[in-house]
Amino acid sequence: MASKSPQIPPVSPTRQPDRDDGGSVVLERRTQKVQPPQMYQVVMLNDDYTPMEFVVVVIQEFFGKDLEVATQIMLKIHLDGRGVCGVYSRDVAATKVDQVLDAAAKAGHPLQCISEPVEA
């Protein structure tokens, strides 16, 4: 039985950086274009059963708004059917939604909250 010795794959030559007249190495700087992360808005939806006071407390607790701003957001939710509570990165927005839904379920309210991408 004849056997061949294993072949070593060819190695491509590495390119050396250009050298200037003084013998030092000159590298070219390449700028990377990085996009900012997609932002998501946390939106609360209106329902006919969740008390307005509960919505205000949830907005204050989970979104860090003061009483006046939380009341304005609650009234927007009540009058328009939905209101934006804050804009965050995807993971933070998902966590905020989970916190709101968990608090509403524990209190026995059908409050709904979603996150959706912010349109640029």
PDB file of all heavy atoms in Angstrom, residues 27-46:
ATOM      1  N   LEU A  27       1.433  53.688   8.354  1.00  0.00           N
ATOM      2  CA  LEU A  27       0.159  52.986   8.225  1.00  0.00           C
ATOM      3  C   LEU A  27      -0.930  53.982   7.883  1.00  0.00           C
ATOM      4  O   LEU A  27      -0.919  55.122   8.359  1.00  0.00           O
ATOM      5  CB  LEU A  27      -0.191  52.272   9.527  1.00  0.00           C
ATOM      6  CG  LEU A  27       0.731  51.129   9.935  1.00  0.00           C
ATOM      7  CD1 LEU A  27       0.291  50.560  11.273  1.00  0.00           C
ATOM      8  CD2 LEU A  27       0.718  50.033   8.887  1.00  0.00           C
ATOM      9  N   GLU A  28      -1.870  53.552   7.082  1.00  0.00           N
ATOM     10  CA  GLU A  28      -2.979  54.396   6.708  1.00  0.00           C
ATOM     11  C   GLU A  28      -4.105  54.210   7.706  1.00  0.00           C
ATOM     12  O   GLU A  28      -4.446  53.087   8.056  1.00  0.00           O
ATOM     13  CB  GLU A  28      -3.476  53.972   5.322  1.00  0.00           C
ATOM     14  CG  GLU A  28      -3.762  55.113   4.404  1.00  0.00           C
ATOM     15  CD  GLU A  28      -4.190  54.601   3.051  1.00  0.00           C
ATOM     16  OE1 GLU A  28      -3.305  54.249   2.258  1.00  0.00           O
ATOM     17  OE2 GLU A  28      -5.394  54.547   2.830  1.00  0.00           O
ATOM     18  N   ARG A  29      -4.691  55.285   8.170  1.00  0.00           N
ATOM     19  CA  ARG A  29      -5.803  55.186   9.104  1.00  0.00           C
ATOM     20  C   ARG A  29      -7.097  55.064   8.309  1.00  0.00           C
ATOM     21  O   ARG A  29      -7.362  55.849   7.403  1.00  0.00           O
ATOM     22  CB  ARG A  29      -5.879  56.420   9.994  1.00  0.00           C
ATOM     23  CG  ARG A  29      -7.041  56.362  10.972  1.00  0.00           C
ATOM     24  CD  ARG A  29      -6.972  57.497  11.913  1.00  0.00           C
ATOM     25  NE  ARG A  29      -5.842  57.258  12.793  1.00  0.00           N
ATOM     26  CZ  ARG A  29      -5.830  57.523  14.073  1.00  0.00           C
ATOM     27  NH1 ARG A  29      -6.886  58.043  14.622  1.00  0.00           N
ATOM     28  NH2 ARG A  29      -4.770  57.275  14.805  1.00  0.00           N
ATOM     29  N   ARG A  30      -7.874  54.067   8.653  1.00  0.00           N
ATOM     30  CA  ARG A  30      -9.164  53.869   7.997  1.00  0.00           C
ATOM     31  C   ARG A  30     -10.254  54.136   9.017  1.00  0.00           C
ATOM     32  O   ARG A  30     -10.284  53.524  10.080  1.00  0.00           O
ATOM     33  CB  ARG A  30      -9.302  52.444   7.472  1.00  0.00           C
ATOM     34  CG  ARG A  30      -8.342  52.148   6.370  1.00  0.00           C
ATOM     35  CD  ARG A  30      -8.555  50.754   5.842  1.00  0.00           C
ATOM     36  NE  ARG A  30      -7.535  50.453   4.855  1.00  0.00           N
ATOM     37  CZ  ARG A  30      -7.164  49.250   4.520  1.00  0.00           C
ATOM     38  NH1 ARG A  30      -7.722  48.207   5.101  1.00  0.00           N
ATOM     39  NH2 ARG A  30      -6.240  49.055   3.609  1.00  0.00           N
ATOM     40  N   THR A  31     -11.133  55.056   8.689  1.00  0.00           N
ATOM     41  CA  THR A  31     -12.227  55.367   9.610  1.00  0.00           C
ATOM     42  C   THR A  31     -13.344  54.357   9.416  1.00  0.00           C
ATOM     43  O   THR A  31     -13.674  53.981   8.286  1.00  0.00           O
ATOM     44  CB  THR A  31     -12.768  56.779   9.377  1.00  0.00           C
ATOM     45  OG1 THR A  31     -13.207  56.889   8.022  1.00  0.00           O
ATOM     46  CG2 THR A  31     -11.711  57.829   9.644  1.00  0.00           C
ATOM     47  N   GLN A  32     -13.887  53.898  10.530  1.00  0.00           N
ATOM     48  CA  GLN A  32     -14.996  52.967  10.463  1.00  0.00           C
ATOM     49  C   GLN A  32     -16.291  53.746  10.625  1.00  0.00           C
ATOM     50  O   GLN A  32     -16.385  54.635  11.472  1.00  0.00           O
ATOM     51  CB  GLN A  32     -14.894  51.923  11.572  1.00  0.00           C
ATOM     52  CG  GLN A  32     -13.713  51.010  11.422  1.00  0.00           C
ATOM     53  CD  GLN A  32     -13.675  49.999  12.556  1.00  0.00           C
ATOM     54  OE1 GLN A  32     -14.416  50.081  13.513  1.00  0.00           O
ATOM     55  NE2 GLN A  32     -12.804  49.026  12.420  1.00  0.00           N
ATOM     56  N   LYS A  33     -17.249  53.393   9.816  1.00  0.00           N
ATOM     57  CA  LYS A  33     -18.547  54.049   9.913  1.00  0.00           C
ATOM     58  C   LYS A  33     -19.477  53.134  10.699  1.00  0.00           C
ATOM     59  O   LYS A  33     -19.897  52.095  10.215  1.00  0.00           O
ATOM     60  CB  LYS A  33     -19.104  54.334   8.531  1.00  0.00           C
ATOM     61  CG  LYS A  33     -18.237  55.319   7.782  1.00  0.00           C
ATOM     62  CD  LYS A  33     -18.816  55.701   6.458  1.00  0.00           C
ATOM     63  CE  LYS A  33     -17.854  56.663   5.794  1.00  0.00           C
ATOM     64  NZ  LYS A  33     -18.345  57.181   4.560  1.00  0.00           N
ATOM     65  N   VAL A  34     -19.750  53.543  11.920  1.00  0.00           N
ATOM     66  CA  VAL A  34     -20.594  52.751  12.809  1.00  0.00           C
ATOM     67  C   VAL A  34     -21.919  53.472  12.976  1.00  0.00           C
ATOM     68  O   VAL A  34     -21.958  54.661  13.281  1.00  0.00           O
ATOM     69  CB  VAL A  34     -19.911  52.564  14.182  1.00  0.00           C
ATOM     70  CG1 VAL A  34     -20.798  51.788  15.112  1.00  0.00           C
ATOM     71  CG2 VAL A  34     -18.568  51.884  14.008  1.00  0.00           C
ATOM     72  N   GLN A  35     -22.985  52.755  12.772  1.00  0.00           N
ATOM     73  CA  GLN A  35     -24.318  53.325  12.933  1.00  0.00           C
ATOM     74  C   GLN A  35     -24.703  53.309  14.408  1.00  0.00           C
ATOM     75  O   GLN A  35     -24.384  52.369  15.118  1.00  0.00           O
ATOM     76  CB  GLN A  35     -25.341  52.509  12.139  1.00  0.00           C
ATOM     77  CG  GLN A  35     -25.127  52.520  10.648  1.00  0.00           C
ATOM     78  CD  GLN A  35     -25.430  53.873  10.041  1.00  0.00           C
ATOM     79  OE1 GLN A  35     -26.103  54.697  10.632  1.00  0.00           O
ATOM     80  NE2 GLN A  35     -24.906  54.107   8.857  1.00  0.00           N
ATOM     81  N   PRO A  36     -25.407  54.323  14.878  1.00  0.00           N
ATOM     82  CA  PRO A  36     -25.905  54.267  16.254  1.00  0.00           C
ATOM     83  C   PRO A  36     -26.960  53.164  16.364  1.00  0.00           C
ATOM     84  O   PRO A  36     -27.592  52.798  15.365  1.00  0.00           O
ATOM     85  CB  PRO A  36     -26.517  55.650  16.472  1.00  0.00           C
ATOM     86  CG  PRO A  36     -26.779  56.187  15.109  1.00  0.00           C
ATOM     87  CD  PRO A  36     -25.767  55.552  14.202  1.00  0.00           C
ATOM     88  N   PRO A  37     -27.153  52.625  17.554  1.00  0.00           N
ATOM     89  CA  PRO A  37     -28.127  51.534  17.690  1.00  0.00           C
ATOM     90  C   PRO A  37     -29.550  52.009  17.421  1.00  0.00           C
ATOM     91  O   PRO A  37     -29.879  53.176  17.644  1.00  0.00           O
ATOM     92  CB  PRO A  37     -27.967  51.095  19.144  1.00  0.00           C
ATOM     93  CG  PRO A  37     -27.416  52.286  19.835  1.00  0.00           C
ATOM     94  CD  PRO A  37     -26.555  52.986  18.822  1.00  0.00           C
ATOM     95  N   GLN A  38     -30.371  51.105  16.943  1.00  0.00           N
ATOM     96  CA  GLN A  38     -31.783  51.397  16.714  1.00  0.00           C
ATOM     97  C   GLN A  38     -32.452  51.677  18.053  1.00  0.00           C
ATOM     98  O   GLN A  38     -32.279  50.919  18.998  1.00  0.00           O
ATOM     99  CB  GLN A  38     -32.461  50.196  16.032  1.00  0.00           C
ATOM    100  CG  GLN A  38     -33.971  50.301  15.898  1.00  0.00           C
ATOM    101  CD  GLN A  38     -34.405  51.310  14.865  1.00  0.00           C
ATOM    102  OE1 GLN A  38     -33.897  51.325  13.769  1.00  0.00           O
ATOM    103  NE2 GLN A  38     -35.346  52.152  15.224  1.00  0.00           N
ATOM    104  N   MET A  39     -33.201  52.755  18.137  1.00  0.00           N
ATOM    105  CA  MET A  39     -33.877  53.110  19.378  1.00  0.00           C
ATOM    106  C   MET A  39     -35.341  52.662  19.311  1.00  0.00           C
ATOM    107  O   MET A  39     -35.930  52.575  18.233  1.00  0.00           O
ATOM    108  CB  MET A  39     -33.797  54.618  19.621  1.00  0.00           C
ATOM    109  CG  MET A  39     -32.363  55.118  19.746  1.00  0.00           C
ATOM    110  SD  MET A  39     -31.424  54.352  21.056  1.00  0.00           S
ATOM    111  CE  MET A  39     -32.081  55.204  22.462  1.00  0.00           C
ATOM    112  N   TYR A  40     -35.885  52.359  20.490  1.00  0.00           N
ATOM    113  CA  TYR A  40     -37.256  51.873  20.596  1.00  0.00           C
ATOM    114  C   TYR A  40     -38.018  52.740  21.585  1.00  0.00           C
ATOM    115  O   TYR A  40     -37.491  53.118  22.630  1.00  0.00           O
ATOM    116  CB  TYR A  40     -37.277  50.418  21.079  1.00  0.00           C
ATOM    117  CG  TYR A  40     -36.793  49.464  20.025  1.00  0.00           C
ATOM    118  CD1 TYR A  40     -35.437  49.316  19.749  1.00  0.00           C
ATOM    119  CD2 TYR A  40     -37.697  48.717  19.268  1.00  0.00           C
ATOM    120  CE1 TYR A  40     -34.993  48.463  18.764  1.00  0.00           C
ATOM    121  CE2 TYR A  40     -37.264  47.853  18.284  1.00  0.00           C
ATOM    122  CZ  TYR A  40     -35.908  47.734  18.037  1.00  0.00           C
ATOM    123  OH  TYR A  40     -35.474  46.884  17.050  1.00  0.00           O
ATOM    124  N   GLN A  41     -39.263  53.057  21.238  1.00  0.00           N
ATOM    125  CA  GLN A  41     -40.096  53.820  22.154  1.00  0.00           C
ATOM    126  C   GLN A  41     -41.030  52.873  22.888  1.00  0.00           C
ATOM    127  O   GLN A  41     -41.559  51.927  22.312  1.00  0.00           O
ATOM    128  CB  GLN A  41     -40.871  54.910  21.424  1.00  0.00           C
ATOM    129  CG  GLN A  41     -41.759  54.440  20.302  1.00  0.00           C
ATOM    130  CD  GLN A  41     -42.309  55.588  19.492  1.00  0.00           C
ATOM    131  OE1 GLN A  41     -41.902  56.730  19.669  1.00  0.00           O
ATOM    132  NE2 GLN A  41     -43.245  55.301  18.607  1.00  0.00           N
ATOM    133  N   VAL A  42     -41.189  53.139  24.168  1.00  0.00           N
ATOM    134  CA  VAL A  42     -42.097  52.348  24.999  1.00  0.00           C
ATOM    135  C   VAL A  42     -43.434  53.071  24.996  1.00  0.00           C
ATOM    136  O   VAL A  42     -43.522  54.247  25.361  1.00  0.00           O
ATOM    137  CB  VAL A  42     -41.546  52.194  26.430  1.00  0.00           C
ATOM    138  CG1 VAL A  42     -42.527  51.427  27.292  1.00  0.00           C
ATOM    139  CG2 VAL A  42     -40.199  51.491  26.404  1.00  0.00           C
ATOM    140  N   VAL A  43     -44.470  52.363  24.559  1.00  0.00           N
ATOM    141  CA  VAL A  43     -45.792  52.949  24.379  1.00  0.00           C
ATOM    142  C   VAL A  43     -46.790  52.231  25.275  1.00  0.00           C
ATOM    143  O   VAL A  43     -46.864  51.001  25.268  1.00  0.00           O
ATOM    144  CB  VAL A  43     -46.243  52.830  22.900  1.00  0.00           C
ATOM    145  CG1 VAL A  43     -47.621  53.432  22.697  1.00  0.00           C
ATOM    146  CG2 VAL A  43     -45.228  53.469  21.981  1.00  0.00           C
ATOM    147  N   MET A  44     -47.551  53.011  26.050  1.00  0.00           N
ATOM    148  CA  MET A  44     -48.649  52.441  26.836  1.00  0.00           C
ATOM    149  C   MET A  44     -49.939  52.642  26.066  1.00  0.00           C
ATOM    150  O   MET A  44     -50.149  53.684  25.438  1.00  0.00           O
ATOM    151  CB  MET A  44     -48.742  53.112  28.203  1.00  0.00           C
ATOM    152  CG  MET A  44     -47.878  52.496  29.230  1.00  0.00           C
ATOM    153  SD  MET A  44     -48.387  53.047  30.856  1.00  0.00           S
ATOM    154  CE  MET A  44     -46.797  53.091  31.621  1.00  0.00           C
ATOM    155  N   LEU A  45     -50.791  51.627  26.138  1.00  0.00           N
ATOM    156  CA  LEU A  45     -52.059  51.649  25.418  1.00  0.00           C
ATOM    157  C   LEU A  45     -53.212  51.866  26.397  1.00  0.00           C
ATOM    158  O   LEU A  45     -53.189  51.378  27.529  1.00  0.00           O
ATOM    159  CB  LEU A  45     -52.246  50.338  24.658  1.00  0.00           C
ATOM    160  CG  LEU A  45     -51.100  49.961  23.716  1.00  0.00           C
ATOM    161  CD1 LEU A  45     -51.362  48.598  23.087  1.00  0.00           C
ATOM    162  CD2 LEU A  45     -50.896  51.013  22.645  1.00  0.00           C
ATOM    163  N   ASN A  46     -54.216  52.587  25.947  1.00  0.00           N
ATOM    164  CA  ASN A  46     -55.376  52.890  26.791  1.00  0.00           C
ATOM    165  C   ASN A  46     -56.287  51.676  26.917  1.00  0.00           C
ATOM    166  O   ASN A  46     -56.399  50.860  26.000  1.00  0.00           O
ATOM    167  CB  ASN A  46     -56.157  54.062  26.197  1.00  0.00           C
ATOM    168  CG  ASN A  46     -57.265  54.526  27.112  1.00  0.00           C
ATOM    169  OD1 ASN A  46     -57.064  54.628  28.316  1.00  0.00           O
ATOM    170  ND2 ASN A  46     -58.416  54.819  26.545  1.00  0.00           N
TER     171      ASN A  46
END
